[in-house]
């Protein structure tokens, strides 16, 4: 079974990811996620994983539970 290497986005990829997270949508729909993945050159799985981790960090910084489906920003 193949395991995916840990993702370390480049500075340029991080800029794109952060821009989309902060300015566009913290919860991208599948189409938007696909477009962001294409723009960064990352896989959709890597992009989704990044968004999930970044959302957990954001929630923690805001004093919110790291996993909560009931509160949408």
């Amino acid at each position: 079974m193949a395991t995916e290497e840990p993702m370390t986005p480049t500075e340029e990829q991080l800029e794109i990811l952060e821009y989309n997270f902060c300015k566009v949508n913290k919860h991208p729909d599948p189409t938007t996620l696909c477009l962001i993945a294409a723009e960064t050159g990352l896989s959709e799985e890597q992009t989704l994983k990044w968004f999930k981790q970044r959302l957990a960090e954001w929630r923690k910084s805001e004093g919110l539970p790291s996993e909560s489906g009931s509160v949408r920003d």
Side-chain angles (χ1 to χ4, degrees):
M1 183 185 330
T3 56
E4 191 174 301
E5 290 293 315
M7 177 192 70
T8 306
T10 66
E11 193 171 316
E12 185 179 329
Q13 289 169 326
L14 275 175
E15 286 178 17
I16 295 167
L17 291 165
E18 281 291 338
Y19 173 82
N20 281 281
F21 183 83
C22 294
K23 304 284 186 198
V24 180
N25 193 345
K26 289 176 178 52
H27 307 276
D29 59 59
T31 302
T32 304
L33 193 70
C34 181
L35 292 171
I36 295 168
E39 186 178 358
T40 59
L42 300 170
S43 71
E44 287 180 54
E45 293 78 19
Q46 290 171 316
T47 306
L48 179 59
K49 185 175 181 178
W50 185 90
F51 267 86
K52 285 182 176 182
Q53 291 173 340
R54 183 63 179 87
L55 184 60
E57 288 174 19
W58 177 81
R59 287 184 173 284
K60 186 176 179 183
S61 74
E62 295 291 313
L64 299 169
S66 62
E67 294 293 326
S68 175
S70 62
V71 177
R72 301 283 271 197
D73 48 90

